[in-house]
Coordinates of all heavy atoms in Angstrom, one line a residue:
M1 N 0.9 -1.2 0.0 CA 0.0 0.0 0.0 C 0.9 1.2 0.0 O 1.9 1.3 0.7 CB -0.9 0.0 1.2 CG -1.8 1.1 1.4 SD -3.3 0.9 0.5 CE -4.2 2.3 1.0
R2 N 0.5 2.2 -0.8 CA 1.3 3.4 -0.9 C 0.5 4.5 -0.1 O -0.2 5.3 -0.6 CB 1.4 3.9 -2.3 CG 2.4 3.1 -3.2 CD 2.5 3.7 -4.6 NE 3.6 3.1 -5.3 CZ 3.5 2.2 -6.2 NH1 2.3 1.7 -6.6 NH2 4.6 1.7 -6.8
E3 N 0.7 4.4 1.2 CA 0.0 5.3 2.1 C 0.4 6.8 1.8 O -0.5 7.6 1.9 CB 0.4 5.0 3.6 CG -0.3 3.8 4.2 CD -1.8 4.0 4.3 OE1 -2.3 5.1 4.5 OE2 -2.5 2.9 4.1
W4 N 1.6 7.0 1.4 CA 2.0 8.4 1.1 C 1.2 8.9 -0.1 O 0.9 10.1 -0.1 CB 3.5 8.4 0.8 CG 4.0 7.7 -0.4 CD1 4.4 6.4 -0.5 CD2 3.9 8.2 -1.8 NE1 4.7 6.1 -1.8 CE2 4.4 7.1 -2.6 CE3 3.6 9.4 -2.4 CZ2 4.6 7.3 -4.0 CZ3 3.7 9.5 -3.8 CH2 4.2 8.5 -4.5
L5 N 0.9 8.1 -1.0 CA 0.1 8.5 -2.2 C -1.3 8.8 -1.8 O -1.9 9.8 -2.2 CB 0.2 7.4 -3.3 CG -0.5 7.8 -4.6 CD1 0.1 9.1 -5.2 CD2 -0.2 6.6 -5.6
K6 N -1.9 7.9 -1.0 CA -3.3 8.2 -0.5 C -3.3 9.5 0.3 O -4.2 10.3 0.1 CB -3.7 7.0 0.3 CG -5.1 7.2 0.9 CD -5.5 6.0 1.7 CE -6.9 6.2 2.3 NZ -7.3 5.1 3.2
E7 N -2.3 9.7 1.2 CA -2.3 10.9 2.0 C -2.2 12.2 1.1 O -2.9 13.2 1.3 CB -1.2 10.9 3.0 CG -1.4 9.9 4.1 CD -0.2 9.6 5.0 OE1 0.8 10.4 4.8 OE2 -0.2 8.7 5.7
L8 N -1.3 12.2 0.1 CA -1.2 13.3 -0.8 C -2.5 13.5 -1.6 O -2.9 14.7 -1.8 CB 0.0 13.1 -1.7 CG 1.4 13.3 -1.1 CD1 2.4 13.0 -2.1 CD2 1.5 14.7 -0.6
R9 N -3.1 12.5 -2.1 CA -4.3 12.6 -2.8 C -5.4 13.2 -2.0 O -6.1 14.2 -2.4 CB -4.8 11.2 -3.3 CG -6.1 11.3 -4.1 CD -6.6 9.9 -4.6 NE -6.6 8.9 -3.6 CZ -7.6 8.7 -2.7 NH1 -8.6 9.5 -2.7 NH2 -7.6 7.7 -1.9
E10 N -5.6 12.7 -0.8 CA -6.6 13.2 0.1 C -6.3 14.7 0.6 O -7.2 15.5 0.7 CB -6.8 12.3 1.4 CG -7.4 11.0 1.0 CD -7.5 10.0 2.2 OE1 -6.8 10.2 3.2 OE2 -8.2 9.0 2.0
K11 N -5.0 15.0 0.8 CA -4.6 16.4 1.1 C -5.1 17.3 0.0 O -5.4 18.5 0.3 CB -3.1 16.4 1.3 CG -2.6 17.8 1.7 CD -1.1 17.8 1.9 CE -0.6 19.2 2.1 NZ 0.8 19.2 2.1
N12 N -5.0 16.9 -1.2 CA -5.4 17.7 -2.4 C -6.9 17.6 -2.7 O -7.4 18.1 -3.7 CB -4.6 17.3 -3.6 CG -3.2 17.9 -3.5 OD1 -3.0 19.0 -3.9 ND2 -2.3 17.1 -3.1
N13 N -7.7 16.9 -1.8 CA -9.1 16.7 -1.9 C -9.5 16.1 -3.3 O -10.4 16.6 -4.0 CB -9.9 18.1 -1.7 CG -9.7 18.6 -0.4 OD1 -9.8 17.9 0.6 ND2 -9.3 19.9 -0.2
L14 N -8.8 15.1 -3.7 CA -9.0 14.4 -4.9 C -9.5 13.0 -4.7 O -9.0 12.3 -3.8 CB -7.7 14.3 -5.8 CG -7.2 15.7 -6.3 CD1 -5.8 15.5 -6.8 CD2 -8.1 16.3 -7.3
T15 N -10.5 12.6 -5.5 CA -10.9 11.2 -5.4 C -10.0 10.3 -6.3 O -9.2 10.9 -7.1 CB -12.4 11.1 -5.9 OG1 -12.4 11.4 -7.3 CG2 -13.3 12.0 -5.2
M16 N -10.2 9.0 -6.2 CA -9.4 8.1 -7.1 C -9.8 8.3 -8.5 O -9.0 8.3 -9.4 CB -9.6 6.7 -6.7 CG -8.9 6.3 -5.4 SD -9.0 4.5 -5.2 CE -8.1 4.4 -3.7
K17 N -11.1 8.6 -8.7 CA -11.6 8.8 -10.1 C -10.9 10.1 -10.7 O -10.5 10.1 -11.8 CB -13.1 9.0 -10.1 CG -13.7 9.1 -11.5 CD -15.2 9.1 -11.5 CE -15.6 9.1 -12.9 NZ -17.0 8.7 -13.1
E18 N -10.9 11.1 -9.9 CA -10.2 12.4 -10.4 C -8.8 12.2 -10.7 O -8.2 12.7 -11.7 CB -10.4 13.5 -9.3 CG -11.9 14.0 -9.2 CD -12.1 14.8 -8.0 OE1 -11.5 14.7 -6.9 OE2 -13.0 15.7 -8.1
M19 N -8.1 11.4 -9.8 CA -6.7 11.1 -10.1 C -6.5 10.3 -11.4 O -5.6 10.6 -12.2 CB -6.0 10.3 -8.9 CG -5.7 11.2 -7.7 SD -4.5 12.5 -8.0 CE -3.0 11.5 -8.3
G20 N -7.4 9.4 -11.6 CA -7.3 8.6 -12.8 C -7.5 9.5 -14.0 O -6.8 9.4 -15.0
T21 N -8.4 10.4 -13.9 CA -8.7 11.4 -15.0 C -7.4 12.3 -15.3 O -7.0 12.4 -16.4 CB -9.9 12.3 -14.7 OG1 -11.0 11.4 -14.6 CG2 -10.2 13.3 -15.8
K22 N -6.9 12.8 -14.2 CA -5.7 13.6 -14.3 C -4.5 12.9 -14.9 O -3.7 13.5 -15.6 CB -5.3 14.2 -13.0 CG -6.2 15.3 -12.5 CD -5.7 15.8 -11.1 CE -6.5 17.0 -10.6 NZ -6.2 18.2 -11.3
L23 N -4.4 11.6 -14.7 CA -3.3 10.8 -15.2 C -3.6 10.1 -16.5 O -2.8 9.3 -17.0 CB -2.9 9.7 -14.1 CG -2.4 10.3 -12.8 CD1 -2.3 9.2 -11.8 CD2 -1.1 11.0 -13.0
S24 N -4.9 10.3 -17.0 CA -5.3 9.6 -18.2 C -5.3 8.1 -18.1 O -4.9 7.4 -19.0 CB -4.5 10.1 -19.4 OG -4.6 11.5 -19.6
I25 N -5.7 7.6 -16.9 CA -5.9 6.2 -16.7 C -7.2 5.9 -16.0 O -7.9 6.9 -15.6 CB -4.7 5.6 -15.8 CG1 -4.7 6.3 -14.5 CG2 -3.4 5.7 -16.5 CD1 -3.6 5.7 -13.5
S26 N -7.6 4.7 -16.0 CA -8.9 4.4 -15.3 C -8.8 4.5 -13.8 O -7.7 4.4 -13.2 CB -9.4 3.0 -15.7 OG -8.5 2.0 -15.1
E27 N -9.9 4.7 -13.2 CA -10.0 4.7 -11.7 C -9.5 3.4 -11.1 O -8.7 3.5 -10.1 CB -11.4 5.0 -11.3 CG -11.6 5.0 -9.8 CD -13.0 5.2 -9.3 OE1 -13.9 5.3 -10.2 OE2 -13.3 5.2 -8.1
S28 N -9.8 2.3 -11.7 CA -9.4 1.0 -11.2 C -7.9 0.8 -11.3 O -7.3 0.3 -10.4 CB -10.1 -0.1 -11.8 OG -9.9 -0.2 -13.2
Y29 N -7.3 1.3 -12.4 CA -5.8 1.2 -12.5 C -5.2 2.1 -11.5 O -4.2 1.7 -10.9 CB -5.4 1.6 -13.9 CG -4.0 1.2 -14.2 CD1 -3.6 -0.1 -14.5 CD2 -2.9 2.2 -14.1 CE1 -2.3 -0.4 -14.8 CE2 -1.6 1.8 -14.4 CZ -1.3 0.5 -14.7 OH 0.0 0.2 -14.9
Y30 N -5.7 3.3 -11.3 CA -5.1 4.2 -10.3 C -5.2 3.6 -8.9 O -4.3 3.6 -8.1 CB -5.8 5.6 -10.3 CG -5.2 6.4 -9.1 CD1 -4.0 7.0 -9.2 CD2 -5.9 6.4 -7.9 CE1 -3.4 7.7 -8.1 CE2 -5.3 7.1 -6.8 CZ -4.1 7.7 -6.9 OH -3.5 8.3 -5.9
C31 N -6.4 3.0 -8.6 CA -6.6 2.3 -7.3 C -5.5 1.2 -7.1 O -4.9 1.1 -6.0 CB -8.0 1.7 -7.3 SG -8.4 0.9 -5.7
A32 N -5.2 0.5 -8.2 CA -4.2 -0.6 -8.1 C -2.8 0.0 -7.9 O -2.0 -0.6 -7.1 CB -4.2 -1.4 -9.4
I33 N -2.5 1.2 -8.4 CA -1.3 1.8 -8.2 C -1.2 2.2 -6.7 O -0.2 2.0 -6.0 CB -1.1 3.1 -9.1 CG1 -0.9 2.6 -10.5 CG2 0.1 3.9 -8.6 CD1 -1.0 3.8 -11.5
E34 N -2.2 2.8 -6.2 CA -2.2 3.3 -4.8 C -2.1 2.1 -3.8 O -1.5 2.2 -2.8 CB -3.5 4.1 -4.5 CG -3.4 4.9 -3.3 CD -4.6 5.9 -3.1 OE1 -4.6 6.9 -3.9 OE2 -5.5 5.6 -2.3
N35 N -2.8 1.0 -4.2 CA -2.7 -0.2 -3.4 C -1.4 -1.0 -3.5 O -1.1 -1.9 -2.8 CB -3.9 -1.1 -3.7 CG -5.2 -0.6 -3.2 OD1 -5.2 0.1 -2.1 ND2 -6.3 -0.8 -3.9
G36 N -0.6 -0.6 -4.5 CA 0.7 -1.2 -4.7 C 0.7 -2.5 -5.5 O 1.7 -3.2 -5.6
T37 N -0.4 -2.8 -6.2 CA -0.4 -4.0 -7.0 C 0.0 -3.8 -8.5 O 0.2 -4.7 -9.2 CB -1.8 -4.7 -7.0 OG1 -2.8 -3.8 -7.4 CG2 -2.2 -5.1 -5.6
R38 N 0.0 -2.5 -8.9 CA 0.4 -2.1 -10.2 C 1.5 -1.1 -10.1 O 1.6 -0.4 -9.1 CB -0.7 -1.5 -11.0 CG -1.8 -2.4 -11.3 CD -1.4 -3.4 -12.3 NE -2.6 -3.8 -13.1 CZ -2.5 -4.2 -14.4 NH1 -1.3 -4.4 -14.9 NH2 -3.6 -4.5 -15.0
Q39 N 2.3 -1.0 -11.1 CA 3.5 -0.1 -11.1 C 4.3 -0.3 -9.8 O 4.6 0.7 -9.1 CB 3.0 1.4 -11.2 CG 2.3 1.7 -12.5 CD 3.4 2.2 -13.6 OE1 4.5 2.6 -13.2 NE2 3.0 2.0 -14.8
K40 N 4.7 -1.5 -9.6 CA 5.5 -1.8 -8.4 C 6.7 -0.9 -8.4 O 7.2 -0.5 -7.3 CB 5.8 -3.3 -8.3 CG 4.5 -4.1 -8.0 CD 4.8 -5.5 -7.9 CE 3.5 -6.3 -7.9 NZ 3.1 -7.0 -6.7
K41 N 7.3 -0.7 -9.5 CA 8.3 0.3 -9.7 C 7.8 1.3 -10.7 O 7.7 1.0 -11.9 CB 9.6 -0.4 -10.2 CG 10.3 -1.2 -9.2 CD 11.7 -1.6 -9.5 CE 12.3 -2.4 -8.4 NZ 13.7 -2.5 -8.6
M42 N 7.5 2.5 -10.2 CA 6.9 3.5 -11.0 C 7.7 3.9 -12.1 O 8.9 4.1 -12.0 CB 6.6 4.7 -10.1 CG 5.5 4.6 -9.1 SD 5.2 6.1 -8.3 CE 3.8 5.7 -7.3
D43 N 7.1 4.1 -13.3 CA 7.8 4.6 -14.5 C 7.8 6.1 -14.4 O 7.1 6.8 -13.7 CB 7.3 4.0 -15.8 CG 5.9 4.4 -16.1 OD1 5.5 5.6 -15.8 OD2 5.2 3.6 -16.7
V44 N 8.7 6.7 -15.2 CA 8.9 8.2 -15.2 C 7.6 8.9 -15.7 O 7.3 10.0 -15.1 CB 10.1 8.6 -16.1 CG1 9.8 8.3 -17.6 CG2 10.5 10.0 -15.8
T45 N 6.8 8.3 -16.5 CA 5.6 9.0 -17.0 C 4.6 9.1 -15.8 O 4.0 10.2 -15.6 CB 4.9 8.2 -18.1 OG1 5.9 8.0 -19.2 CG2 3.7 8.9 -18.6
L46 N 4.5 8.1 -15.0 CA 3.6 8.1 -13.9 C 4.1 9.1 -12.8 O 3.4 9.9 -12.3 CB 3.4 6.7 -13.2 CG 2.6 6.6 -12.0 CD1 1.2 7.1 -12.2 CD2 2.6 5.2 -11.4
I47 N 5.4 9.0 -12.5 CA 6.0 9.9 -11.5 C 5.8 11.4 -12.0 O 5.4 12.2 -11.1 CB 7.5 9.6 -11.3 CG1 7.6 8.3 -10.7 CG2 8.2 10.7 -10.5 CD1 9.1 7.7 -10.7
T48 N 6.0 11.7 -13.2 CA 5.8 13.1 -13.7 C 4.3 13.5 -13.6 O 4.0 14.6 -13.1 CB 6.2 13.2 -15.2 OG1 7.6 12.8 -15.3 CG2 6.0 14.6 -15.7
G49 N 3.4 12.6 -14.0 CA 2.0 12.9 -13.8 C 1.5 13.1 -12.4 O 0.8 14.0 -12.1
L50 N 2.1 12.3 -11.5 CA 1.7 12.5 -10.1 C 2.3 13.8 -9.5 O 1.6 14.5 -8.8 CB 2.3 11.3 -9.2 CG 1.6 9.9 -9.4 CD1 2.4 8.9 -8.7 CD2 0.2 10.0 -8.9
S51 N 3.5 14.1 -10.0 CA 4.1 15.4 -9.6 C 3.2 16.6 -9.9 O 2.9 17.5 -9.1 CB 5.4 15.5 -10.2 OG 6.0 16.8 -9.9
I52 N 2.7 16.5 -11.2 CA 1.8 17.6 -11.6 C 0.5 17.6 -10.9 O 0.0 18.6 -10.4 CB 1.6 17.5 -13.2 CG1 3.0 17.8 -13.9 CG2 0.6 18.5 -13.7 CD1 3.0 17.4 -15.3
A53 N -0.2 16.4 -10.9 CA -1.5 16.3 -10.3 C -1.5 16.6 -8.8 O -2.5 17.2 -8.3 CB -2.0 14.9 -10.5
L54 N -0.5 16.3 -8.1 CA -0.4 16.5 -6.7 C 0.3 17.8 -6.3 O 0.4 18.1 -5.1 CB 0.1 15.3 -6.0 CG -0.7 14.0 -6.2 CD1 0.1 12.8 -5.7 CD2 -2.0 14.1 -5.5
D55 N 0.9 18.4 -7.2 CA 1.7 19.6 -7.0 C 2.8 19.4 -6.0 O 3.0 20.2 -5.0 CB 0.8 20.8 -6.6 CG 1.5 22.1 -6.6 OD1 2.4 22.3 -7.5 OD2 1.2 23.0 -5.8
V56 N 3.6 18.4 -6.2 CA 4.8 18.1 -5.4 C 6.0 17.8 -6.4 O 5.8 17.4 -7.5 CB 4.6 16.9 -4.5 CG1 3.5 17.1 -3.5 CG2 4.3 15.6 -5.3
P57 N 7.2 18.2 -5.9 CA 8.3 17.9 -6.8 C 8.6 16.4 -7.0 O 8.3 15.6 -6.2 CB 9.5 18.5 -5.9 CG 8.9 19.3 -4.9 CD 7.5 18.8 -4.6
I58 N 9.1 16.2 -8.2 CA 9.4 14.8 -8.6 C 10.3 14.2 -7.6 O 10.2 13.0 -7.2 CB 10.0 14.8 -10.0 CG1 8.9 15.1 -11.0 CG2 10.7 13.4 -10.3 CD1 9.4 15.2 -12.5
T59 N 11.3 14.9 -7.1 CA 12.2 14.4 -6.1 C 11.5 13.9 -4.8 O 11.9 12.9 -4.2 CB 13.3 15.5 -5.7 OG1 12.7 16.7 -5.3 CG2 14.2 15.7 -6.9
R60 N 10.5 14.6 -4.4 CA 9.7 14.2 -3.2 C 9.0 12.8 -3.5 O 9.0 12.0 -2.6 CB 8.7 15.2 -2.9 CG 7.9 14.9 -1.6 CD 8.7 14.9 -0.4 NE 7.9 14.6 0.8 CZ 8.3 13.9 1.8 NH1 9.5 13.4 1.8 NH2 7.5 13.6 2.8
I61 N 8.5 12.7 -4.7 CA 7.8 11.4 -5.0 C 8.9 10.3 -5.0 O 8.6 9.2 -4.5 CB 7.1 11.5 -6.4 CG1 5.9 12.4 -6.2 CG2 6.6 10.1 -6.8 CD1 5.2 12.8 -7.5
L62 N 10.0 10.5 -5.6 CA 11.1 9.5 -5.6 C 11.5 9.2 -4.2 O 11.7 8.0 -3.9 CB 12.3 10.0 -6.4 CG 12.0 10.2 -7.9 CD1 13.2 10.9 -8.6 CD2 11.8 8.8 -8.6
E63 N 11.6 10.1 -3.4 CA 12.0 9.9 -2.0 C 11.0 9.1 -1.2 O 11.3 8.1 -0.5 CB 12.1 11.3 -1.3 CG 12.5 11.3 0.2 CD 12.6 12.7 0.7 OE1 13.5 13.4 0.4 OE2 11.6 13.1 1.4
L64 N 9.7 9.4 -1.4 CA 8.6 8.7 -0.7 C 8.6 7.2 -1.2 O 8.4 6.3 -0.4 CB 7.3 9.4 -0.9 CG 7.2 10.7 -0.2 CD1 6.0 11.5 -0.7 CD2 7.1 10.5 1.3
E65 N 8.7 7.1 -2.5 CA 8.7 5.7 -3.1 C 9.9 4.9 -2.7 O 9.8 3.7 -2.4 CB 8.5 5.8 -4.6 CG 8.3 4.5 -5.3 CD 6.9 3.9 -5.0 OE1 6.1 4.5 -4.3 OE2 6.7 2.8 -5.5
A66 N 11.0 5.5 -2.6 CA 12.2 4.8 -2.2 C 12.1 4.4 -0.7 O 12.5 3.2 -0.4 CB 13.5 5.7 -2.3
R67 N 11.5 5.2 0.1 CA 11.3 4.8 1.5 C 10.3 3.6 1.6 O 10.5 2.7 2.4 CB 10.7 6.0 2.2 CG 10.6 5.8 3.7 CD 10.2 7.1 4.5 NE 11.0 8.2 4.2 CZ 10.6 9.5 4.1 NH1 9.3 9.8 4.4 NH2 11.4 10.5 3.9
R68 N 9.3 3.6 0.7 CA 8.3 2.5 0.7 C 9.0 1.2 0.3 O 8.8 0.2 0.8 CB 7.2 2.8 -0.3 CG 6.2 1.7 -0.3 CD 5.1 2.0 -1.4 NE 5.5 1.6 -2.7 CZ 5.4 0.4 -3.2 NH1 5.0 -0.6 -2.5 NH2 5.8 0.2 -4.5
L69 N 9.9 1.3 -0.7 CA 10.7 0.2 -1.2 C 11.9 -0.1 -0.3 O 12.6 -1.1 -0.5 CB 11.1 0.4 -2.6 CG 10.0 0.5 -3.6 CD1 10.5 1.0 -5.0 CD2 9.2 -0.8 -3.7
N70 N 12.1 0.7 0.7 CA 13.3 0.6 1.6 C 14.6 0.6 0.8 O 15.5 -0.3 1.1 CB 13.1 -0.6 2.5 CG 14.0 -0.6 3.7 OD1 14.4 0.5 4.1 ND2 14.4 -1.7 4.2
T71 N 14.7 1.5 -0.2 CA 15.9 1.6 -0.9 C 16.4 3.0 -0.8 O 15.6 3.9 -0.7 CB 15.8 1.2 -2.4 OG1 14.7 2.1 -3.0 CG2 15.4 -0.2 -2.6
P72 N 17.7 3.3 -0.9 CA 18.2 4.6 -0.8 C 17.9 5.4 -2.1 O 17.8 4.8 -3.1 CB 19.7 4.5 -0.6 CG 20.0 3.1 -1.1 CD 18.7 2.3 -0.9
T73 N 17.7 6.7 -1.9 CA 17.6 7.6 -3.1 C 19.0 7.8 -3.6 O 19.9 7.9 -2.9 CB 16.9 8.9 -2.8 OG1 17.5 9.5 -1.7 CG2 15.4 8.7 -2.4
A74 N 19.1 8.1 -4.9 CA 20.4 8.3 -5.5 C 21.1 9.5 -5.2 O 20.9 10.4 -4.6 CB 20.3 8.2 -7.1

């Protein structure tokens, strides 16, 4: 589960459906990303889209995702 992603989404008052729309993906696919069953290692397109949709720097997303995966950031 990507708790950090859920928290950022909720902080921005966005539903999963709205996030899917912003990322040009389905709500169910976005839900799977947030739950950690899809995009186990996020690709650059998703990271960029999340950065824009959530108004956070790409480096912050990389940091949060690395923490989730328990790997150091570069």
